[in-house]
Amino acid sequence: MSAQFEFGLNSFGDVATDGGREMTDAESVRLLIEEAQLAESVGLDVFSVGEHYKDKSVDSATPVVLAAAAQATSTIGLGTSVTVLSTQDPVRLYQEFATVDALSNGRTQLVLGRASAVESFPLFGYDIAQYEELFEEKLDLFLRLMYEDRVTWSGKHRASLDAVRLHPRMPDGGIPAWIGIGGSPDSVIRAARNGLPLMMAIIGGRAERFAGHAELYLRALSSFGYPEMPIAQHSLGLIADTDDAAKSAHWEYWEPVVTQISKERGFYPPTAERYAEEVDTGALYVGSPETVARKIAAIARANHLSRFDLKYDITHLPRDVRERSIRLFGEQVAPRVRELLEEDAEPWRETGRPVVEIVKGGKAVHV
């Protein structure tokens, strides 16, 4: 399993600081490209950018950012932390990501979600009351566009299509597309029903509580006649040379962001005690390389993971702290996690049974 376990970086385009100065939006966009290059240089597998429409985030035009990253890198996968499919036009989305895939020579992927932040609904004129209906209809159309050569389609929320063939073309079968979930069993079943890999966004509480979702997904895949597919986890964190340095740096910038979100969404503001609990036993992956590696390895076992994505940026987190975290994640955490998972795999090797079955490019392979 260790050789195939993947590591990704997720950015929400958070504006950074540099020497105490808030970077401009333009500088923050260019920083994303530099960080994609850095992620590739330290051996990470995927660099992903989100989609947000709020102050201090610069990821509203994700395909443009990924197209630039495609030209600045050569091997790393390029994806979305989540694409808010509910407020996207599937035709345009297909064309944008077919273009990015061409520019990257086949390195592009997507995580499709319904949105936890809903700023895009009023911005683009959609009714939040149609949250579920929009996603279902647009997912159906997008998958048909990826899987079929010519598409005839009609629905409620966009113009009908009559034998449409889009250009530029994606490869046969489209590009890898994951379903992102935040905890809804219905979303788990949707991913399995459509035969798509599962990305679990776990940003608070004990991450092990999602083990039931992973097991439900695997059972549902089997019931729908699909082979096992990858399960990934997206979580927040920061890596520094010591546990204390990581926690101190992360808390300083995490606390004001979560305090603001708590006011907007009506939950309890963060406290130092709750933060320490999240770091120790919850879904924050903050600490030294060894601490974070052991925590990732443990959750990989519990949640049946074949990939872990670290959301590494926070509003105003200094660029040098971001850089150090990326370096440590690729150079020390990833190989250490693989080493820990390799130890788990040894008893299986003795039996001659396959260690794991994962899906690469839509095909199941034994490792």
Side-chain angles (χ1 to χ4, degrees):
M1 186 165 82
S2 60
Q4 296 296 330
F5 195 91
E6 293 189 327
F7 293 88
L9 278 181
N10 287 351
S11 171
F12 286 179
D14 289 291
V15 170
T17 55
D18 189 7
R21 176 186 65 85
E22 181 179 304
M23 297 176 68
T24 67
D25 284 0
E27 290 172 328
S28 298
V29 170
R30 293 193 292 270
L31 179 61
L32 289 176
I33 307 308
E34 294 176 20
E35 290 174 338
Q37 292 175 306
L38 176 60
E40 179 174 86
S41 74
V42 298
L44 294 171
D45 299 292
V46 186
F47 184 83
S48 299
V49 180
E51 180 192 344
H52 295 84
Y53 302 90
K54 58 187 179 63
D55 189 32
K56 310 300 183 185
S57 291
V58 297
D59 60 342
S60 58
T62 312
V64 181
V65 176
L66 295 178
Q71 294 298 283
T73 60
S74 58
T75 59
I76 194 167
L78 299 169
T80 63
S81 305
V82 73
T83 293
V84 185
L85 182 59
S86 304
T87 56
Q88 293 272 0
D89 175 28
V91 171
R92 193 64 180 145
L93 190 68
Y94 176 99
Q95 293 167 327
E96 289 170 341
F97 278 87
T99 302
V100 176
D101 197 58
L103 290 169
S104 68
N105 195 24
R107 292 184 282 131
T108 309
Q109 57 186 264
L110 284 161
V111 176
L112 303 169
R114 296 177 299 171
S116 58
V118 295
E119 294 92 350
S120 62
F121 283 80
L123 184 63
F124 296 117
Y126 288 98
D127 184 354
I128 191 65
Q130 297 173 327
Y131 182 85
E132 191 77 23
E133 178 184 315
L134 283 164
F135 187 78
E136 284 282 3
E137 179 175 297
K138 294 189 175 192
L139 179 63
D140 173 66
L141 175 54
F142 185 72
L143 294 180
R144 289 192 58 185
L145 291 169
M146 285 214 301
Y147 298 155
E148 299 176 18
D149 187 59
R150 293 185 180 275
V151 174
T152 297
W153 178 92
S154 63
K156 180 178 177 181
H157 297 286
R158 76 167 324 278
S160 300
L161 303 177
D162 184 12
V164 167
R165 191 173 195 268
L166 301 178
H167 295 278
R169 299 298 300 161
M170 285 185 181
D172 289 345
I175 63 175
W178 302 63
I179 292 291
I181 71 157
S184 166
D186 289 343
S187 296
V188 173
I189 298 299
R190 179 186 292 113
R193 186 175 65 247
N194 287 284
L196 299 176
L198 185 69
M199 176 67 73
M200 304 188 297
I202 309 177
I203 60 173
R206 293 182 64 86
E208 292 84 354
R209 75 189 191 280
F210 276 71
H213 289 69
E215 290 157 7
L216 171 64
Y217 172 69
L218 293 172
R219 291 196 304 272
L221 278 175
S222 177
S223 70
F224 288 120
Y226 292 109
E228 285 192 14
M229 294 190 177
I231 301 173
Q233 178 174 323
H234 153 106
S235 291
L236 285 62
L238 185 141
I239 304 148
D241 293 286
T242 67
D243 287 345
D244 287 344
K247 287 185 280 190
S248 175
H250 192 255
W251 167 256
E252 179 180 352
Y253 298 96
W254 181 87
E255 187 274 334
V257 169
V258 179
T259 295
Q260 181 59 40
I261 295 173
S262 72
K263 294 175 182 177
E264 296 168 355
R265 303 189 186 181
F267 59 80
Y268 290 111
T271 65
E273 293 74 20
R274 287 198 185 100
Y275 177 77
E277 184 177 349
E278 283 291 340
V279 171
D280 291 343
T281 62
L284 289 180
Y285 292 77
V286 176
S288 67
E290 181 67 17
T291 295
V292 173
R294 287 190 173 278
K295 191 170 182 179
I296 292 174
I299 202 60
R301 301 179 193 110
N303 284 354
H304 307 275
L305 305 180
S306 59
R307 172 173 156 185
F308 182 91
D309 282 10
L310 182 74
K311 199 275 186 182
Y312 69 94
D313 55 357
I314 319 168
T315 302
H316 295 151
L317 186 68
R319 67 179 299 169
D320 61 331
V321 177
R322 288 165 56 145
E323 177 184 347
R324 185 62 177 158
S325 186
I326 293 169
R327 286 192 181 278
L328 291 173
F329 188 50
E331 294 174 350
Q332 297 189 32
V333 173
R336 180 61 175 141
V337 172
R338 291 184 175 116
E339 183 179 73
L340 292 167
L341 295 177
E342 182 76 14
E343 293 172 3
D344 291 348
E346 286 306 320
W348 291 92
R349 292 186 189 282
E350 293 173 5
T351 68
R353 294 168 60 188
V355 176
V356 69
E357 183 179 70
I358 63 174
V359 170
K360 293 284 187 180
K363 296 181 179 180
V365 294
H366 288 94
V367 180

